Amino acid sequence: MTTTLVRAARPLGAEPRDLLLRDGLVAEVAPAGTLTAPDGARTVEAEGLVALPGLVDLHTHLREPGREDAETVDTGTRAAALGGFTAVHAMANTAPVADTAGVVEQVWRLGREAGWCDVRPVGAVTTGLEGQRLAELGAMADSAAGVRVFSDDGKCVFDAVLMRRALEYVKAFDGVVAQHAQEPRLTEGAQMNEGAVSGVLGLRGWPAVAEEAIIARDVLLAGHVGSRLHVCHLSTAGSVEIVRWAKARGVDVTAEVTPHHLLLTDELVRGYDPVYKVNPPLRTDDDVRALRAGVADGTIDVVATDHAPHPVEDKDCEWSAAAMGMTGLETALSVVVQALVEPGHLDWAGVARVMSQTPARIGRVASQGGSLQVGEAANLVLVDPAARWTVDPSAMATKGRNSPFAGRELPARVVATFWEGHATVLDGALATARPAEAGSTWTR
Amino acid sequence: MRHLLSTADLSRAEAVRVLDVAEQMAATQQREIKKLPTLRGRTVVNLFFEDSTRTRISFETAAKRLSADVITFSAKGSSVSKGESLKDTALTLQAMGADAVVIRHGSSGAPLRLARSGWTSGAVLNAGDGTHEHPTQALLDAFTLRRHLVGGGPGGGPAADRVGADLAGKHVVVVGDVLHSRVARSNVHLLHVLGARTTLVAPPTLLPIGVETWPCEVSYDLDAALRGDVQGPVDAVMALRVQLERMDAAYFPSAREYSRRYGIDAARLALLPPHASLLHPGPMNRGLEITAEAADGARSRIVEQVTNGVAVRMAALYLLLAGEDA
Ligand SMILES: [Zn+2]
């Protein structure tokens, strides 16, 4: 395995350090200019670059199996590596649904074969995502994939009894239920955020209360049964308030927000371009402000992409016929810098916390989410904080062309990504995949 | 005008110009030979993804009276009903050399999407999209109101008295299912730009969230609005179509209760000043939002609206395809 000397990077934005990556581990860390590269080692000049622990996405749609026209594990994890991720949680809404040990092991194996990052399958909470009966959560937990995150994402676990049982049941193997909070009756046929814009556009509204009512119920349920709960993609000011209240009461709840909900609003829907169609929908300025404040004060624990690639034909149509979802892996870090770092809500250590350390802890990914200390797995990303780039979906590794940031200039660029010491990205471009047999003991 | 997608895009001058050109078109329709050579050699495509015989016939008639070649794609019996996408249909029309596409679509925003997509280079005319807008309906409503409320008075004196005029100071009550009505949205924008006041009346379930940001007043009390208690005396009332299926989704409890609280009948019309007009975009649910007595009474301009629709659509097609910039 290649040994790499990273010269003069700023770990988590602090003073420059040389980092030696050897045998998949961070072997040495010393003041900049003090380490010399061993014979045969690769040297990466990282002066001016920020080093972060490899990013961990809690919410990725890789589409395989079933929708390989939209994305595959290979293309999706290439995109992840380019975005600075060393682990992604692959959502369960595939075809077949990831509701058995067989399917989650298949996805996990595809991830290892692809070799771009750690793929952690998410197991469905209910069979077929149908909300009727529990899937074999324990079998998925005990499988080679070692599933710890369970979600019917795309659909809400609406039945209160089923949700309660799921919250309770996963305690046996330290799992967590990640809820897609959407009251189904209040959102039948919903097309966009319900508010002044939907009224003018004549599009059926997705009211904030449909998200908030489920979150309120679930934090109460989690408190009652003493389970941990994760809430996917918070999108409203009211949701932030409810989670803040629950945390103050001691409920073991964590919450996530997507990059797009931190930057974009429903005003963009006025042109009826389906690239802005997403679930939960883009909300208002007030919501964006509240979500940013929620990340700043720790109410929201993680930023997760909800990367949702779609083939062109599913977006190249009229609004109501279009699929919901946006790509996000290759823009996430830049959007976080624009929405949270530049306005002063987060420093680089904060970025490491919300995009790597906390998601790794929630997903129980032991080898990830470190802080670049000697002895940790060498998962890290080098970021050029001064770079600016213009988003061009056609140049992305994801099969999805549905980036809502197309044409925007964004700050900060991923220069290199190391997954357990293996360079998946160098000079801002894909390097090489890690051979499958090189999988370390870190990955179950 | 490059396209006619929404009345919110129209300036006062542009809106008045459409009404003035429509007056000229209406005058030609009094002649024995109604056909004008204006659009000879131009192709107008009527693309109806949603069934609407009335609107389709009105547009076809308008285009033919301007001597355009007319092609109609309607939902039944064409590729449209077989799930062919808006994009593929538009590309086909482009290949046929459509100069204007009149589009009716169940999805809000489909005409705007078509106009901005580059799938067709023709002018796009919105003939009703989802629950968004129906601009030519609002224009024919304004045309009808101007004829009765401005200049020569009921039925219209000489057109010259009205040319260049807007609806400044007039007050229109619009009652019914505002939430699902493209006609209401187009009228609120257009009446505002023409200087009229609008009062929307509906049960709260049938008003959109955010309606308070619209340039109009809102009331839940039809009688109060008609009496003039909301925004002063009323010059016209427009009843919107209410679909009975809305009852199943609990927008209102029963047809009887809806009629009692929000239906237009002779007693309610008697609350209006003598000159006030009654409009309905059709098709009517007689007995639900309007009684037969009201619909067929002396204040009703409903049949006239249909006639005026052809003149207004001729004006719109003329301005899009042959007009100098309005
Ligand atoms: Zn979701």
Side-chain angles (χ1 to χ4, degrees):
Chain A
M1 182 176 271
T2 314
T3 299
T4 302
L5 176 64
V6 177
R7 285 165 58 101
R10 295 161 48 209
L12 283 67
E15 290 305 304
R17 291 283 184 275
D18 291 346
L19 294 94
L20 189 70
L21 317 180
R22 191 173 53 213
D23 298 332
L25 302 177
V26 178
E28 290 184 62
V29 179
T34 61
L35 292 186
T36 45
D39 281 349
R42 172 202 294 124
T43 300
V44 174
E45 297 296 343
E47 198 170 343
L49 306 185
V50 171
L52 299 175
L55 307 183
V56 176
D57 194 13
L58 262 186
H59 196 142
T60 316
H61 295 277
L62 292 179
R63 305 297 189 213
E64 190 175 4
R67 285 305 301 269
E68 291 80 358
D69 58 326
E71 192 82 289
T72 63
V73 171
D74 183 59
T75 58
T77 53
R78 284 168 186 259
L82 283 167
F85 291 89
T86 50
V88 296
H89 287 76
M91 275 299 173
N93 63 338
T94 47
V97 170
D99 58 1
T100 63
V103 178
V104 294
E105 283 189 352
Q106 181 195 352
V107 172
W108 174 75
R109 200 164 291 119
L110 286 168
R112 284 172 60 94
E113 284 165 15
W116 297 105
C117 71
D118 198 354
V119 172
R120 312 287 300 197
V122 173
V125 176
T126 66
T127 53
L129 306 178
E130 282 169 355
Q132 302 293 322
R133 50 179 49 239
L134 285 186
E136 289 187 346
L137 308 179
M140 290 188 275
D142 294 341
S143 73
V147 174
R148 291 294 177 272
V149 181
F150 298 90
S151 182
D152 276 2
D153 182 62
K155 289 185 178 173
C156 182
V157 181
F158 178 53
D159 184 303
V161 171
L162 206 54
M163 185 62 183
R164 174 199 168 138
R165 301 282 185 251
L167 286 168
E168 290 177 304
Y169 193 78
V170 300
K171 282 201 277 191
F173 33 85
D174 198 23
V176 65
V177 176
Q179 176 70 294
H180 168 115
Q182 176 178 5
E183 213 282 348
R185 283 280 285 147
L186 282 170
T187 53
E188 276 172 21
Q191 296 291 321
M192 68 172 295
N193 177 49
E194 183 166 67
V197 179
S198 64
V200 169
L201 296 183
L203 290 172
R204 179 104 44 109
W206 198 131
V209 59
E211 175 173 309
E212 294 155 5
I214 294 296
I215 296 176
R217 181 199 75 176
D218 286 354
V219 295
L220 292 170
L221 274 176
H224 179 61
V225 300
S227 293
R228 64 186 181 116
L229 165 72
H230 179 71
V231 188
C232 298
H233 43 52
L234 260 61
S235 71
T236 78
S239 297
V240 178
E241 266 186 75
I242 293 164
V243 171
R244 191 177 284 130
W245 172 86
K247 286 187 166 185
R249 281 179 46 124
V251 175
D252 191 2
V253 57
T254 53
E256 95 194 12
V257 63
T258 71
H260 46 271
H261 288 110
L262 289 168
L263 200 62
L264 309 177
T265 70
D266 66 352
E267 287 293 330
L268 289 164
V269 181
R270 289 189 187 273
Y272 294 98
D273 184 342
V275 79
Y276 300 113
K277 186 173 177 180
V278 65
N279 192 23
L282 301 178
R283 305 285 187 183
T284 68
D285 260 332
D286 286 346
D287 296 304
V288 168
R289 264 193 295 275
L291 292 166
R292 290 180 180 192
V295 178
D297 74 9
T299 301
I300 295 175
D301 303 85
V302 307
V303 176
T305 65
D306 197 4
H307 176 79
H310 288 290
V312 169
E313 58 271 25
D314 287 0
K315 287 287 191 180
D316 208 8
C317 55
E318 59 274 24
W319 182 275
S320 64
M324 301 196 210
M326 304 171 161
T327 61
L329 287 168
E330 288 162 87
T331 47
L333 183 63
S334 292
V335 173
V336 164
V337 170
Q338 175 155 342
L340 298 173
V341 178
E342 289 186 343
H345 297 301
L346 281 187
D347 56 14
W348 288 105
V351 174
R353 188 177 68 245
V354 303
M355 297 189 78
S356 174
Q357 293 158 352
T358 309
R361 181 170 54 75
I362 294 168
R364 301 297 192 245
V365 189
S367 61
Q368 303 252 1
S371 47
L372 307 183
Q373 303 293 312
V374 171
E376 290 178 0
N379 293 306
L380 71 151
V381 53
L382 299 175
V383 184
D384 180 356
R388 297 194 70 86
W389 60 291
T390 301
V391 178
D392 174 9
S394 69
M396 289 181 173
T398 174
K399 283 191 180 182
R401 294 292 169 262
N402 50 308
S403 170
F405 306 108
R408 282 184 190 243
E409 196 188 84
L410 295 176
R413 181 108 228 209
V414 170
V415 174
T417 307
F418 296 90
W419 176 32
E420 292 178 0
H422 180 93
T424 54
V425 172
L426 286 172
D427 297 325
L430 285 171
T432 56
R434 190 178 77 175
E437 62 272 21
S440 79
T441 50
W442 290 103
T443 313
R444 283 190 53 157
Chain B
M1 289 194 298
R2 171 85 180 84
H3 305 290
L4 179 56
L5 303 171
S6 159
T7 54
D9 301 336
L10 295 175
S11 65
R12 178 192 172 280
E14 285 170 328
V16 169
R17 175 90 175 120
V18 176
L19 303 185
D20 291 349
V21 172
E23 284 286 359
Q24 296 168 23
M25 295 297 174
T28 67
Q29 298 309 297
Q30 305 303 313
R31 299 180 198 150
E32 196 157 334
I33 295 172
K34 298 184 169 63
K35 203 159 173 171
L36 304 172
T38 319
L39 296 184
R40 183 168 294 151
R42 313 296 293 276
T43 301
V44 174
V45 174
N46 288 314
L47 187 52
F48 276 61
F49 287 84
E50 213 182 54
D51 214 13
S52 172
T53 311
R54 310 160 54 92
T55 307
R56 179 173 54 76
I57 288 174
S58 184
F59 271 106
E60 277 176 7
T61 307
K64 284 176 179 163
R65 295 225 171 128
L66 292 168
S67 303
D69 296 326
V70 181
I71 302 169
T72 296
F73 280 76
S74 54
K76 291 199 174 71
S78 80
S79 58
V80 170
S81 57
K82 295 176 201 124
E84 183 171 302
S85 72
L86 174 61
K87 179 181 179 176
D88 290 331
T89 307
L91 292 173
T92 305
L93 301 180
Q94 175 66 10
M96 288 176 183
D99 296 295
V101 178
V102 174
I103 175 172
R104 170 81 154 223
H105 202 290
S107 176
S108 298
L112 182 76
R113 188 89 179 110
L114 184 61
R116 288 195 179 169
S117 62
W119 299 331
T120 173
S121 60
V124 177
L125 205 159
N126 181 2
D129 60 329
T131 54
H132 177 224
E133 286 220 35
H134 193 355
T136 57
Q137 179 68 43
L139 285 161
L140 77 87
D141 292 338
F143 180 86
T144 307
L145 290 172
R146 192 174 76 160
R147 281 201 150 185
H148 285 274
L149 301 176
V150 178
D161 291 357
R162 301 185 290 275
V163 166
D166 57 17
L167 296 171
K170 305 302 177 191
H171 179 200
V172 181
V173 169
V174 179
V175 56
D177 183 358
V178 175
L179 179 62
H180 300 97
S181 176
R182 47 194 171 211
V183 176
R185 283 173 180 75
S186 286
N187 264 296
V188 166
H189 296 307
L190 186 64
L191 290 168
H192 176 69
V193 81
L194 290 173
R197 302 192 303 287
T198 307
T199 302
L200 296 177
V201 180
T205 46
L206 290 176
L207 288 165
I209 297 282
V211 71
E212 68 281 357
T213 64
W214 296 11
C216 61
E217 293 295 318
V218 174
S219 172
Y220 309 138
D221 185 338
L222 180 57
D223 291 319
L226 296 181
R227 276 195 306 266
D229 296 348
V230 178
Q231 282 202 90
V234 174
D235 297 294
V237 55
M238 184 184 304
L240 301 172
R241 177 176 168 80
V242 174
Q243 291 177 305
L244 264 180
E245 307 88 77
R246 304 290 177 212
M247 217 162 59
D248 304 326
Y251 287 103
F252 53 90
S254 70
R256 191 173 59 176
E257 177 157 324
Y258 184 87
S259 303
R260 201 177 293 149
R261 293 178 67 86
Y262 298 100
I264 296 292
D265 59 14
R268 285 202 159 112
L269 290 179
L271 299 171
L272 299 172
H275 71 276
S277 293
L278 170 65
L279 284 75
H280 189 296
M284 290 180 279
N285 286 308
R286 288 173 185 253
L288 182 54
E289 75 265 8
I290 193 165
T291 64
E293 192 185 3
D296 303 330
R299 294 173 186 274
S300 172
R301 314 286 172 239
I302 297 170
V303 175
E304 200 185 317
Q305 283 175 278
V306 176
T307 311
N308 293 343
V310 174
V312 164
R313 287 167 180 134
M314 288 172 76
L317 287 168
Y318 170 81
L319 289 168
L320 287 173
L321 291 179
E324 73 286 13
D325 275 357

